[in-house]
Amino acid sequence: MSEEILTVENLKKYFVTKQGTVRAVDKVSFSVKQGETCGLVGESGSGKTTIAHTLVGIYEPTEGRALFKGQNISKVFNQRPKALKKEIRIVFQDPGSSLNPRRSIKQILELPLKVHRICNDSDRVERVMELLRMVELPPEDYMYKSPQVIGGGEKQMVAIARALAPNPSFLVLDEPTSALDVSVQAKIINLLMQLQQNLNLTYLFITHDLSLMRNITNRVVIMYLGKISEVAPTVEFFQNPFHPYTKMLLSSIPTVSDEEENFKPKEVISRGEIASPVNVPSGCSFHLRCPQKMEICSRADPTVVEVEADHLVRCHLFSDGRKPT
Amino acid sequence: MKKELLVAALSRSRASFSKGWYKFSRNPLSVLGLIILFSVILTAIFAPYISPYPEHAGAFTNFRESGLPPSLTHFFGTDSVGRDIFSRVIFGYRFSLVLAVVVLSLAMPSGIILGLIAGYYRRRWIEIVIMRITDIFLAVPPLVLALAITVMLSPNLFNQMMAISLMWWPWYCRLVYSLTTSLRHEYFVREAELTGASKAHILLREILPNCVAPVLTKMTLDAGFVITVGASLSFIGLGVQPPRPGLGTMVADGAKRLPAEWWMAVFPALAIVIVILSFNLVGDGLRDMFAVEEV
């Protein structure tokens, strides 16, 4: 449970556009331990998906690197060795566009098996059926269907089965449930948790749903405008958030009962919106919205400090490595 | 177990076929077009058995029966050397359909493959090379280009086919190119890339099947258009050479005798109109069929 399977070091990904350079991911470092579910949280435009896409090789990092089991993986997909493509798999956000409407589910699931030579021709059908059973879809009913005729939740199940096809060890889940309705979400989350146990998988779970995060992750990485705000174990994160942005996020969770209401920090009201990543504010990128803004915040960008064991924060309030009194 | 799966697969494909046919058949005009098209194709294939005077398709003369108006013995009348126009039209269809088939089976695959490559490798030199050549071909009016090529070589059916094929591929290239540039950003293409699938797999199995609907629709509409161009070239003597019965050649011959002996030009012209119309109707039906499916 303690071995680090993925280490991201000072990862930067800039996009050059006509409006200027977009700093989608700016000097991000974190690590994911074997067997855990690491949550990556942030508003839209905070760079979560860019990190996911960089890890699987859709983008090449502008600077910095990512290590997977000690191997440098900061390369685009066509430069990656096949063995690596087999180990790191991704489930995309929109299952509608991630499955080819012109191919049957059987064909879709066979592709990774063929490419990675997982099994020989005669066993392939068996393996496809096994994968479908793994995601709780009866193979006889689904194998020859087109993804067009099945529901969104079922599509995402197929996408998960496809990701699992070559027996990966690391799964990047890019908001796998955000496009689905709530009843289906629960089913998929349960399935993912079950699969993680059975297959000894490590997840990088990207989401903006904090309640979901609380239930399934071991550790949380909070991002704001391409930078890390806070990294903490999930329990610690919900009980004792450090960063003003984290507090703002937590206080924005809608609650049903008073009990829940009392549990979350309430001194922070969310205001403003995330700034444009093309025009990042000077100093700490959060200072425009920060309720605890200090004079230094608009001048200097804080660095990440470890305030408690495993609990990192990037804020001037903690610049001496201690909690402010 | 395996057998049951096979049965399931078969019944699925049969179901999707009947669904497609249902959508197609909701437009009665398309069904009419399909019926006409089928009868034209059958007529062309079995021309020697169907036409009342098969020998009239070649160098046959019977001046005693020249210039006869339409009657029960000669449905479309006879031409200036006494040949039965109905028989010649039926044989004329053979040339027209062969032309359409050959041109499309040459131009379509080459255009599609070049379009796939150019669209997938966008902003690389290979895209620039392919698309600029395509632009050059598209800049010259197609008929003029085919005309120039046929004149340069000698005018016969084979050279006409080559010339028309050469001017036809850029349209498919453009169509598939534009489809590919948007399809290659779809997540299913990304996924195949990340899985490590070969380029051939990505282009032919992931992208191409999603281009089938527009390409097939364009193909049916184009078949009619190719026949028109072929007839136009034949009309000015750059296609099927007499005494063989090209529809365009027959219209050209008959046009000299308008308006008195009108049947010599009108019936071959009508034959061209009918085949083009039926291709277009079928094309419309296909478009409706695929359009509903996309939603």
Side-chain angles (χ1 to χ4, degrees), chain A residues 169-225:
Chain A
S169 55
F170 187 80
L171 227 55
V172 179
L173 303 160
D174 185 6
E175 305 197 34
T177 57
S178 65
L180 308 171
D181 73 61
V182 183
S183 58
V184 185
Q185 275 189 18
K187 208 175 155 196
I188 293 209
I189 295 298
N190 287 336
L191 182 77
L192 282 170
M193 293 298 102
Q194 211 182 328
L195 287 168
Q196 182 175 36
Q197 290 240 307
N198 297 345
L199 303 170
N200 191 22
L201 296 165
T202 308
Y203 288 159
L204 179 66
F205 198 101
I206 295 168
T207 185
H208 50 241
D209 185 340
L210 290 165
S211 317
L212 182 63
M213 191 106 290
R214 175 195 248 155
N215 291 326
I216 62 164
T217 59
N218 305 101
R219 241 146 35 84
V220 182
V221 177
I222 304 283
M223 290 193 61
Y224 186 79
L225 272 179

Short mmCIF file of all heavy atoms in Angstrom, two decimals, chain A residues 169-225:
data_model
loop_
_atom_site.label_atom_id
_atom_site.label_comp_id
_atom_site.label_asym_id
_atom_site.label_seq_id
_atom_site.Cartn_x
_atom_site.Cartn_y
_atom_site.Cartn_z
N SER A 169 -2.38 -2.00 -14.72
CA SER A 169 -2.24 -1.85 -13.27
C SER A 169 -2.66 -0.46 -12.83
O SER A 169 -2.89 -0.22 -11.66
CB SER A 169 -0.80 -2.13 -12.86
OG SER A 169 0.07 -1.30 -13.59
N PHE A 170 -2.75 0.46 -13.78
CA PHE A 170 -3.06 1.84 -13.41
C PHE A 170 -4.15 2.38 -14.34
O PHE A 170 -4.05 2.28 -15.55
CB PHE A 170 -1.80 2.69 -13.55
CG PHE A 170 -1.94 4.09 -13.04
CD1 PHE A 170 -1.86 4.35 -11.69
CD2 PHE A 170 -2.15 5.15 -13.92
CE1 PHE A 170 -1.99 5.65 -11.20
CE2 PHE A 170 -2.29 6.45 -13.44
CZ PHE A 170 -2.20 6.69 -12.08
N LEU A 171 -5.20 2.91 -13.72
CA LEU A 171 -6.32 3.41 -14.51
C LEU A 171 -6.51 4.90 -14.24
O LEU A 171 -6.61 5.32 -13.09
CB LEU A 171 -7.59 2.66 -14.10
CG LEU A 171 -8.48 2.12 -15.20
CD1 LEU A 171 -7.70 1.23 -16.14
CD2 LEU A 171 -9.63 1.34 -14.60
N VAL A 172 -6.54 5.68 -15.31
CA VAL A 172 -6.87 7.09 -15.18
C VAL A 172 -8.36 7.22 -15.48
O VAL A 172 -8.81 6.87 -16.56
CB VAL A 172 -6.06 7.96 -16.17
CG1 VAL A 172 -6.45 9.42 -16.03
CG2 VAL A 172 -4.58 7.78 -15.92
N LEU A 173 -9.12 7.67 -14.50
CA LEU A 173 -10.57 7.81 -14.68
C LEU A 173 -10.89 9.29 -14.79
O LEU A 173 -10.86 10.02 -13.80
CB LEU A 173 -11.30 7.18 -13.50
CG LEU A 173 -10.98 5.71 -13.25
CD1 LEU A 173 -11.34 5.29 -11.84
CD2 LEU A 173 -11.67 4.83 -14.26
N ASP A 174 -11.14 9.73 -16.01
CA ASP A 174 -11.35 11.15 -16.25
C ASP A 174 -12.84 11.47 -16.14
O ASP A 174 -13.57 11.36 -17.11
CB ASP A 174 -10.81 11.52 -17.63
CG ASP A 174 -10.90 13.01 -17.88
OD1 ASP A 174 -11.27 13.75 -16.96
OD2 ASP A 174 -10.60 13.43 -19.02
N GLU A 175 -13.27 11.85 -14.97
CA GLU A 175 -14.67 12.14 -14.68
C GLU A 175 -15.59 11.07 -15.29
O GLU A 175 -16.45 11.37 -16.11
CB GLU A 175 -15.06 13.52 -15.21
CG GLU A 175 -14.15 14.60 -14.67
CD GLU A 175 -14.74 15.99 -14.83
OE1 GLU A 175 -15.96 16.13 -14.74
OE2 GLU A 175 -13.96 16.94 -15.03
N PRO A 176 -15.40 9.82 -14.89
CA PRO A 176 -16.12 8.74 -15.57
C PRO A 176 -17.63 8.78 -15.35
O PRO A 176 -18.37 8.14 -16.09
CB PRO A 176 -15.54 7.47 -14.95
CG PRO A 176 -15.03 7.89 -13.63
CD PRO A 176 -14.58 9.31 -13.78
N THR A 177 -18.08 9.52 -14.37
CA THR A 177 -19.52 9.49 -14.10
C THR A 177 -20.20 10.83 -14.31
O THR A 177 -21.41 10.92 -14.15
CB THR A 177 -19.80 9.05 -12.66
OG1 THR A 177 -19.12 9.94 -11.77
CG2 THR A 177 -19.32 7.64 -12.42
N SER A 178 -19.43 11.86 -14.68
CA SER A 178 -20.05 13.19 -14.70
C SER A 178 -21.07 13.34 -15.81
O SER A 178 -21.93 14.21 -15.76
CB SER A 178 -18.99 14.27 -14.81
OG SER A 178 -18.35 14.16 -16.04
N ALA A 179 -20.99 12.49 -16.85
CA ALA A 179 -21.95 12.62 -17.94
C ALA A 179 -23.18 11.74 -17.73
O ALA A 179 -24.05 11.67 -18.58
CB ALA A 179 -21.28 12.26 -19.27
N LEU A 180 -23.23 11.06 -16.57
CA LEU A 180 -24.31 10.09 -16.38
C LEU A 180 -25.27 10.55 -15.29
O LEU A 180 -24.93 11.40 -14.47
CB LEU A 180 -23.71 8.75 -15.96
CG LEU A 180 -22.61 8.24 -16.87
CD1 LEU A 180 -21.94 7.04 -16.26
CD2 LEU A 180 -23.16 7.91 -18.24
N ASP A 181 -26.45 9.95 -15.28
CA ASP A 181 -27.36 10.39 -14.23
C ASP A 181 -27.09 9.63 -12.93
O ASP A 181 -26.40 8.63 -12.89
CB ASP A 181 -28.83 10.36 -14.69
CG ASP A 181 -29.39 8.98 -14.80
OD1 ASP A 181 -29.41 8.29 -13.77
OD2 ASP A 181 -29.80 8.61 -15.92
N VAL A 182 -27.62 10.18 -11.83
CA VAL A 182 -27.14 9.81 -10.50
C VAL A 182 -27.29 8.33 -10.19
O VAL A 182 -26.40 7.71 -9.61
CB VAL A 182 -27.84 10.67 -9.44
CG1 VAL A 182 -27.30 10.36 -8.07
CG2 VAL A 182 -27.64 12.13 -9.76
N SER A 183 -28.41 7.73 -10.59
CA SER A 183 -28.62 6.33 -10.26
C SER A 183 -27.56 5.45 -10.91
O SER A 183 -27.09 4.47 -10.33
CB SER A 183 -30.01 5.90 -10.71
OG SER A 183 -30.13 6.11 -12.09
N VAL A 184 -27.18 5.81 -12.11
CA VAL A 184 -26.17 5.03 -12.83
C VAL A 184 -24.79 5.28 -12.23
O VAL A 184 -23.96 4.38 -12.15
CB VAL A 184 -26.19 5.40 -14.33
CG1 VAL A 184 -25.25 4.52 -15.10
CG2 VAL A 184 -27.59 5.28 -14.89
N GLN A 185 -24.56 6.53 -11.81
CA GLN A 185 -23.28 6.89 -11.20
C GLN A 185 -22.93 5.92 -10.08
O GLN A 185 -21.83 5.37 -10.02
CB GLN A 185 -23.36 8.29 -10.59
CG GLN A 185 -23.08 9.39 -11.58
CD GLN A 185 -22.96 10.73 -10.89
OE1 GLN A 185 -22.75 10.81 -9.68
NE2 GLN A 185 -23.09 11.79 -11.66
N ALA A 186 -23.89 5.71 -9.17
CA ALA A 186 -23.64 4.88 -8.00
C ALA A 186 -23.22 3.48 -8.44
O ALA A 186 -22.26 2.91 -7.92
CB ALA A 186 -24.90 4.81 -7.15
N LYS A 187 -23.91 2.96 -9.45
CA LYS A 187 -23.62 1.62 -9.92
C LYS A 187 -22.19 1.53 -10.45
O LYS A 187 -21.45 0.59 -10.14
CB LYS A 187 -24.62 1.29 -11.04
CG LYS A 187 -24.90 -0.18 -11.16
CD LYS A 187 -25.98 -0.40 -12.20
CE LYS A 187 -25.86 -1.78 -12.80
NZ LYS A 187 -26.62 -1.91 -14.03
N ILE A 188 -21.82 2.54 -11.22
CA ILE A 188 -20.48 2.52 -11.82
C ILE A 188 -19.40 2.66 -10.75
O ILE A 188 -18.38 1.98 -10.78
CB ILE A 188 -20.38 3.63 -12.89
CG1 ILE A 188 -21.32 3.26 -14.02
CG2 ILE A 188 -18.95 3.83 -13.34
CD1 ILE A 188 -20.95 3.74 -15.35
N ILE A 189 -19.66 3.55 -9.79
CA ILE A 189 -18.67 3.74 -8.72
C ILE A 189 -18.48 2.45 -7.93
O ILE A 189 -17.36 2.01 -7.67
CB ILE A 189 -19.11 4.89 -7.78
CG1 ILE A 189 -19.13 6.21 -8.54
CG2 ILE A 189 -18.20 4.97 -6.57
CD1 ILE A 189 -17.82 6.65 -9.09
N ASN A 190 -19.59 1.80 -7.59
CA ASN A 190 -19.49 0.54 -6.86
C ASN A 190 -18.70 -0.49 -7.64
O ASN A 190 -17.85 -1.19 -7.11
CB ASN A 190 -20.89 -0.02 -6.56
CG ASN A 190 -21.57 0.77 -5.48
OD1 ASN A 190 -20.91 1.42 -4.67
ND2 ASN A 190 -22.89 0.74 -5.47
N LEU A 191 -18.99 -0.54 -8.93
CA LEU A 191 -18.29 -1.49 -9.79
C LEU A 191 -16.80 -1.20 -9.81
O LEU A 191 -15.97 -2.11 -9.68
CB LEU A 191 -18.88 -1.38 -11.20
CG LEU A 191 -18.30 -2.34 -12.21
CD1 LEU A 191 -18.88 -3.71 -11.99
CD2 LEU A 191 -18.58 -1.87 -13.61
N LEU A 192 -16.47 0.09 -9.93
CA LEU A 192 -15.05 0.46 -9.98
C LEU A 192 -14.33 0.07 -8.69
O LEU A 192 -13.20 -0.42 -8.72
CB LEU A 192 -14.91 1.96 -10.23
CG LEU A 192 -15.13 2.43 -11.67
CD1 LEU A 192 -15.21 3.95 -11.72
CD2 LEU A 192 -14.02 1.94 -12.57
N MET A 193 -15.01 0.29 -7.57
CA MET A 193 -14.40 -0.02 -6.28
C MET A 193 -14.17 -1.53 -6.15
O MET A 193 -13.13 -1.99 -5.69
CB MET A 193 -15.29 0.46 -5.14
CG MET A 193 -15.42 1.97 -5.05
SD MET A 193 -13.85 2.78 -4.73
CE MET A 193 -13.40 3.40 -6.33
N GLN A 194 -15.17 -2.27 -6.61
CA GLN A 194 -15.08 -3.73 -6.56
C GLN A 194 -13.94 -4.24 -7.44
O GLN A 194 -13.15 -5.08 -7.02
CB GLN A 194 -16.41 -4.27 -7.06
CG GLN A 194 -16.82 -5.56 -6.47
CD GLN A 194 -18.14 -5.97 -7.11
OE1 GLN A 194 -18.97 -5.12 -7.48
NE2 GLN A 194 -18.32 -7.25 -7.27
N LEU A 195 -13.85 -3.67 -8.66
CA LEU A 195 -12.81 -4.09 -9.59
C LEU A 195 -11.44 -3.77 -9.03
O LEU A 195 -10.49 -4.53 -9.19
CB LEU A 195 -13.00 -3.39 -10.94
CG LEU A 195 -14.17 -3.88 -11.78
CD1 LEU A 195 -14.42 -2.93 -12.93
CD2 LEU A 195 -13.89 -5.28 -12.31
N GLN A 196 -11.33 -2.63 -8.37
CA GLN A 196 -10.04 -2.22 -7.81
C GLN A 196 -9.55 -3.28 -6.82
O GLN A 196 -8.39 -3.66 -6.82
CB GLN A 196 -10.17 -0.88 -7.12
CG GLN A 196 -8.85 -0.38 -6.56
CD GLN A 196 -8.96 1.00 -6.00
OE1 GLN A 196 -9.97 1.36 -5.41
NE2 GLN A 196 -7.93 1.80 -6.18
N GLN A 197 -10.49 -3.74 -5.97
CA GLN A 197 -10.15 -4.76 -4.99
C GLN A 197 -9.73 -6.07 -5.66
O GLN A 197 -8.69 -6.63 -5.35
CB GLN A 197 -11.37 -5.03 -4.12
CG GLN A 197 -11.70 -3.88 -3.20
CD GLN A 197 -11.65 -4.31 -1.76
OE1 GLN A 197 -12.29 -5.29 -1.40
NE2 GLN A 197 -10.88 -3.61 -0.96
N ASN A 198 -10.57 -6.51 -6.60
CA ASN A 198 -10.34 -7.81 -7.21
C ASN A 198 -9.08 -7.84 -8.07
O ASN A 198 -8.41 -8.86 -8.15
CB ASN A 198 -11.53 -8.20 -8.09
CG ASN A 198 -12.79 -8.34 -7.27
OD1 ASN A 198 -12.73 -8.42 -6.04
ND2 ASN A 198 -13.93 -8.37 -7.95
N LEU A 199 -8.80 -6.74 -8.75
CA LEU A 199 -7.72 -6.76 -9.74
C LEU A 199 -6.49 -6.01 -9.27
O LEU A 199 -5.54 -5.85 -10.03
CB LEU A 199 -8.22 -6.17 -11.07
CG LEU A 199 -9.44 -6.84 -11.69
CD1 LEU A 199 -9.96 -6.04 -12.85
CD2 LEU A 199 -9.09 -8.25 -12.15
N ASN A 200 -6.53 -5.51 -8.04
CA ASN A 200 -5.38 -4.81 -7.48
C ASN A 200 -4.97 -3.61 -8.35
O ASN A 200 -3.83 -3.50 -8.79
CB ASN A 200 -4.21 -5.78 -7.30
CG ASN A 200 -3.11 -5.17 -6.48
OD1 ASN A 200 -3.36 -4.24 -5.72
ND2 ASN A 200 -1.91 -5.68 -6.64
N LEU A 201 -5.93 -2.76 -8.62
CA LEU A 201 -5.70 -1.62 -9.50
C LEU A 201 -5.38 -0.36 -8.70
O LEU A 201 -5.76 -0.24 -7.54
CB LEU A 201 -6.94 -1.35 -10.35
CG LEU A 201 -7.36 -2.42 -11.32
CD1 LEU A 201 -8.78 -2.17 -11.80
CD2 LEU A 201 -6.42 -2.46 -12.51
N THR A 202 -4.71 0.56 -9.35
CA THR A 202 -4.48 1.88 -8.78
C THR A 202 -5.25 2.88 -9.64
O THR A 202 -5.19 2.81 -10.86
CB THR A 202 -2.98 2.22 -8.80
OG1 THR A 202 -2.27 1.15 -8.20
CG2 THR A 202 -2.72 3.51 -8.05
N TYR A 203 -5.99 3.76 -8.99
CA TYR A 203 -6.80 4.71 -9.76
C TYR A 203 -6.29 6.14 -9.57
O TYR A 203 -5.95 6.54 -8.46
CB TYR A 203 -8.25 4.71 -9.26
CG TYR A 203 -9.06 3.48 -9.62
CD1 TYR A 203 -10.20 3.17 -8.89
CD2 TYR A 203 -8.73 2.67 -10.68
CE1 TYR A 203 -10.98 2.06 -9.19
CE2 TYR A 203 -9.51 1.56 -10.99
CZ TYR A 203 -10.62 1.26 -10.25
OH TYR A 203 -11.39 0.17 -10.55
N LEU A 204 -6.31 6.88 -10.65
CA LEU A 204 -6.24 8.34 -10.54
C LEU A 204 -7.62 8.82 -10.94
O LEU A 204 -8.01 8.72 -12.10
CB LEU A 204 -5.17 8.94 -11.46
CG LEU A 204 -5.07 10.46 -11.40
CD1 LEU A 204 -4.59 10.92 -10.04
CD2 LEU A 204 -4.12 10.99 -12.46
N PHE A 205 -8.37 9.29 -9.95
CA PHE A 205 -9.78 9.58 -10.18
C PHE A 205 -9.97 11.08 -10.29
O PHE A 205 -9.75 11.82 -9.34
CB PHE A 205 -10.59 9.02 -9.01
CG PHE A 205 -12.05 8.88 -9.32
CD1 PHE A 205 -12.60 7.66 -9.63
CD2 PHE A 205 -12.89 9.99 -9.29
CE1 PHE A 205 -13.95 7.53 -9.92
CE2 PHE A 205 -14.23 9.88 -9.58
CZ PHE A 205 -14.76 8.64 -9.90
N ILE A 206 -10.38 11.52 -11.46
CA ILE A 206 -10.55 12.95 -11.68
C ILE A 206 -12.02 13.29 -11.57
O ILE A 206 -12.86 12.63 -12.18
CB ILE A 206 -10.01 13.33 -13.07
CG1 ILE A 206 -8.51 13.09 -13.07
CG2 ILE A 206 -10.34 14.76 -13.42
CD1 ILE A 206 -7.90 13.15 -14.41
N THR A 207 -12.32 14.31 -10.80
CA THR A 207 -13.72 14.67 -10.63
C THR A 207 -13.84 16.08 -10.11
O THR A 207 -12.87 16.69 -9.69
CB THR A 207 -14.42 13.70 -9.66
OG1 THR A 207 -15.80 14.01 -9.62
CG2 THR A 207 -13.85 13.79 -8.27
N HIS A 208 -15.06 16.62 -10.19
CA HIS A 208 -15.29 17.86 -9.46
C HIS A 208 -16.38 17.67 -8.41
O HIS A 208 -16.85 18.59 -7.80
CB HIS A 208 -15.63 19.00 -10.41
CG HIS A 208 -16.72 18.65 -11.37
ND1 HIS A 208 -16.53 18.66 -12.73
CD2 HIS A 208 -17.97 18.25 -11.18
CE1 HIS A 208 -17.63 18.27 -13.32
NE2 HIS A 208 -18.54 18.02 -12.40
N ASP A 209 -16.74 16.40 -8.23
CA ASP A 209 -17.80 16.06 -7.29
C ASP A 209 -17.16 15.71 -5.94
O ASP A 209 -16.59 14.64 -5.76
CB ASP A 209 -18.58 14.87 -7.84
CG ASP A 209 -19.77 14.52 -6.98
OD1 ASP A 209 -19.77 14.91 -5.80
OD2 ASP A 209 -20.68 13.85 -7.49
N LEU A 210 -17.26 16.64 -5.00
CA LEU A 210 -16.54 16.45 -3.74
C LEU A 210 -17.14 15.34 -2.89
O LEU A 210 -16.42 14.62 -2.21
CB LEU A 210 -16.53 17.76 -2.95
CG LEU A 210 -15.65 18.84 -3.56
CD1 LEU A 210 -15.96 20.18 -2.95
CD2 LEU A 210 -14.19 18.51 -3.38
N SER A 211 -18.45 15.19 -2.93
CA SER A 211 -19.08 14.14 -2.13
C SER A 211 -18.60 12.77 -2.60
O SER A 211 -18.29 11.89 -1.80
CB SER A 211 -20.59 14.21 -2.27
OG SER A 211 -21.02 15.53 -2.21
N LEU A 212 -18.53 12.65 -3.92
CA LEU A 212 -18.05 11.39 -4.51
C LEU A 212 -16.61 11.14 -4.07
O LEU A 212 -16.24 10.04 -3.68
CB LEU A 212 -18.15 11.52 -6.03
CG LEU A 212 -17.75 10.32 -6.86
CD1 LEU A 212 -18.67 9.17 -6.55
CD2 LEU A 212 -17.84 10.67 -8.32
N MET A 213 -15.84 12.19 -4.12
CA MET A 213 -14.44 12.12 -3.75
C MET A 213 -14.27 11.59 -2.33
O MET A 213 -13.44 10.74 -2.05
CB MET A 213 -13.89 13.54 -3.82
CG MET A 213 -12.44 13.61 -3.74
SD MET A 213 -11.71 13.97 -5.26
CE MET A 213 -11.75 12.83 -6.37
N ARG A 214 -15.10 12.11 -1.45
CA ARG A 214 -15.00 11.72 -0.05
C ARG A 214 -15.23 10.21 0.12
O ARG A 214 -14.59 9.56 0.92
CB ARG A 214 -16.04 12.48 0.76
CG ARG A 214 -16.12 12.08 2.19
CD ARG A 214 -17.40 12.61 2.80
NE ARG A 214 -17.14 13.63 3.78
CZ ARG A 214 -18.01 14.57 4.10
NH1 ARG A 214 -19.17 14.65 3.50
NH2 ARG A 214 -17.71 15.44 5.03
N ASN A 215 -16.13 9.69 -0.67
CA ASN A 215 -16.49 8.29 -0.50
C ASN A 215 -15.49 7.31 -1.07
O ASN A 215 -15.42 6.18 -0.64
CB ASN A 215 -17.85 8.02 -1.13
CG ASN A 215 -18.95 8.69 -0.36
OD1 ASN A 215 -18.87 8.80 0.86
ND2 ASN A 215 -19.96 9.16 -1.07
N ILE A 216 -14.76 7.73 -2.07
CA ILE A 216 -13.99 6.69 -2.75
C ILE A 216 -12.47 6.90 -2.72
O ILE A 216 -11.74 5.96 -2.98
CB ILE A 216 -14.43 6.53 -4.22
CG1 ILE A 216 -14.20 7.81 -4.99
CG2 ILE A 216 -15.87 6.11 -4.32
CD1 ILE A 216 -14.26 7.57 -6.47
N THR A 217 -11.99 8.09 -2.43
CA THR A 217 -10.54 8.28 -2.56
C THR A 217 -9.81 8.09 -1.25
O THR A 217 -10.38 8.24 -0.17
CB THR A 217 -10.22 9.67 -3.11
OG1 THR A 217 -10.74 10.63 -2.20
CG2 THR A 217 -10.80 9.88 -4.48
N ASN A 218 -8.52 7.79 -1.37
CA ASN A 218 -7.66 7.72 -0.20
C ASN A 218 -6.93 9.05 0.01
O ASN A 218 -6.70 9.47 1.12
CB ASN A 218 -6.60 6.64 -0.36
CG ASN A 218 -7.22 5.30 -0.67
OD1 ASN A 218 -7.25 4.88 -1.82
ND2 ASN A 218 -7.75 4.66 0.34
N ARG A 219 -6.59 9.66 -1.13
CA ARG A 219 -5.88 10.92 -1.06
C ARG A 219 -6.46 11.88 -2.08
O ARG A 219 -6.98 11.45 -3.10
CB ARG A 219 -4.39 10.72 -1.34
CG ARG A 219 -3.50 11.12 -0.17
CD ARG A 219 -2.26 10.25 -0.06
NE ARG A 219 -1.76 9.87 -1.36
CZ ARG A 219 -0.96 10.65 -2.10
NH1 ARG A 219 -0.57 11.83 -1.67
NH2 ARG A 219 -0.53 10.23 -3.25
N VAL A 220 -6.35 13.16 -1.79
CA VAL A 220 -6.95 14.15 -2.68
C VAL A 220 -5.89 15.17 -3.07
O VAL A 220 -5.10 15.62 -2.24
CB VAL A 220 -8.11 14.88 -1.98
CG1 VAL A 220 -8.76 15.85 -2.92
CG2 VAL A 220 -9.13 13.89 -1.47
N VAL A 221 -5.87 15.50 -4.36
CA VAL A 221 -5.03 16.58 -4.86
C VAL A 221 -5.97 17.67 -5.35
O VAL A 221 -6.78 17.43 -6.24
CB VAL A 221 -4.12 16.10 -6.01
CG1 VAL A 221 -3.31 17.25 -6.56
CG2 VAL A 221 -3.23 14.97 -5.55
N ILE A 222 -5.88 18.85 -4.74
CA ILE A 222 -6.75 19.95 -5.15
C ILE A 222 -5.98 20.85 -6.10
O ILE A 222 -4.87 21.28 -5.78
CB ILE A 222 -7.18 20.80 -3.94
CG1 ILE A 222 -7.86 19.95 -2.89
CG2 ILE A 222 -8.08 21.94 -4.38
CD1 ILE A 222 -9.25 19.58 -3.23
N MET A 223 -6.60 21.13 -7.24
CA MET A 223 -5.92 22.00 -8.20
C MET A 223 -6.69 23.30 -8.39
O MET A 223 -7.91 23.33 -8.32
CB MET A 223 -5.81 21.28 -9.53
CG MET A 223 -4.84 20.13 -9.50
SD MET A 223 -4.46 19.57 -11.14
CE MET A 223 -3.72 21.03 -11.84
N TYR A 224 -5.93 24.35 -8.64
CA TYR A 224 -6.55 25.62 -8.98
C TYR A 224 -5.71 26.27 -10.06
O TYR A 224 -4.51 26.50 -9.86
CB TYR A 224 -6.68 26.52 -7.74
CG TYR A 224 -7.45 27.79 -8.04
CD1 TYR A 224 -8.83 27.78 -8.09
CD2 TYR A 224 -6.79 28.98 -8.30
CE1 TYR A 224 -9.55 28.91 -8.39
CE2 TYR A 224 -7.50 30.13 -8.60
CZ TYR A 224 -8.88 30.10 -8.64
OH TYR A 224 -9.59 31.23 -8.94
N LEU A 225 -6.30 26.56 -11.19
CA LEU A 225 -5.62 27.19 -12.31
C LEU A 225 -4.29 26.53 -12.66
O LEU A 225 -3.27 27.19 -12.80
CB LEU A 225 -5.38 28.68 -12.02
CG LEU A 225 -6.51 29.60 -12.43
CD1 LEU A 225 -6.16 31.03 -12.05
CD2 LEU A 225 -6.78 29.52 -13.92
#
